[in-house]
Amino acid sequence: MNSRTRSHHVPERFLRQLWKHLHFDTTNLRTTDGRAIEILSPGTLNRDGGPDFLDARIRIGTVLQRGHVELHQKDHEWAGHGHDKDPKYNAVILHVVLQGRSTGTPPRTASKRAIPVLILHAFVRGTYRSTWEAMILDERAERLSTIKCNAANGHVDASTIRALF
């Protein structure tokens, strides 16, 4: 059994980075009810309470939607976390889960609106471990690119850099 089929806990940080950087095959995405999904913008990471990503732009079927995205490891966590009773989640346009069933009743907001579900498991390229490692490298490169003097480091003698520490 490979590491993609075993049931194990995946850190929330993994899910956030997976979604934020679209580290999965974005072609042929479909909701559990069969509608095509095109991610125009995954949204902005929410560092406060409420949905995980704010102001995403996603075409679901033929309709362009703008709203929030909630991420979970498993599909049952929407109700398990009480999002179906919390008005902060009324603007969620997509529930993204790593693992779930492709059948069943879709989750609902407190306002009773059904929310489309995207199951990512089949779209993750490689194992979760190799994807996580690639995301860590991407995250590191992103951080380094924001350090103004980073580009000059290649021109500084290694002994000079060691002397600074």
Side-chain angles (χ1 to χ4, degrees):
M1 188 182 287
N2 72 36
S3 64
R4 284 190 47 186
T5 57
R6 276 187 294 210
S7 179
H8 49 78
H9 178 73
V10 175
E12 189 172 320
R13 179 178 172 211
F14 175 82
L15 294 173
R16 286 193 309 261
Q17 291 299 317
L18 193 68
W19 180 256
K20 178 181 177 182
H21 296 289
L22 304 178
H23 276 286
F24 50 91
D25 184 1
T26 59
T27 59
N28 301 314
L29 294 174
R30 297 221 169 258
T31 61
T32 54
D33 63 3
R35 291 180 283 167
I37 297 174
E38 179 185 3
I39 304 165
L40 303 171
S41 168
T44 305
L45 180 63
N46 182 9
R47 298 191 185 279
D48 202 0
D52 295 306
F53 283 82
L54 307 176
D55 202 28
R57 288 183 301 117
I58 302 170
R59 187 179 318 280
I60 301 175
T62 59
V63 180
L64 177 59
Q65 298 191 35
R66 186 177 204 151
H68 308 324
V69 174
E70 179 65 9
L71 308 173
H72 287 119
Q73 182 173 347
K74 300 193 184 242
D75 55 357
H76 63 80
E77 293 176 40
W78 178 270
H81 293 176
H83 302 328
D84 56 335
K85 296 171 180 56
D86 189 340
K88 287 189 285 194
Y89 294 84
N90 280 343
V92 169
I93 59 171
L94 186 63
H95 184 211
V96 178
V97 298
L98 191 57
Q99 301 166 345
R101 294 165 286 139
S102 58
T103 59
T105 307
R108 296 197 174 268
T109 63
S111 63
K112 306 298 182 214
R113 181 177 53 81
I115 300 174
V117 177
L118 169 62
I119 301 172
L120 278 183
H121 175 75
F123 300 100
V124 175
R125 298 178 192 113
T127 65
Y128 292 159
R129 181 180 178 87
S130 66
T131 302
W132 181 245
E133 288 169 352
M135 288 189 307
I136 288 171
L137 290 174
D138 287 350
E139 208 175 52
R140 182 175 184 267
E142 189 178 293
R143 272 195 322 271
L144 288 175
S145 69
T146 62
I147 300 172
K148 294 184 190 283
C149 63
N150 182 59
N153 285 344
H155 306 292
V156 178
D157 181 73
S159 61
T160 303
I161 293 173
R162 280 193 293 275
L164 295 173
F165 298 99

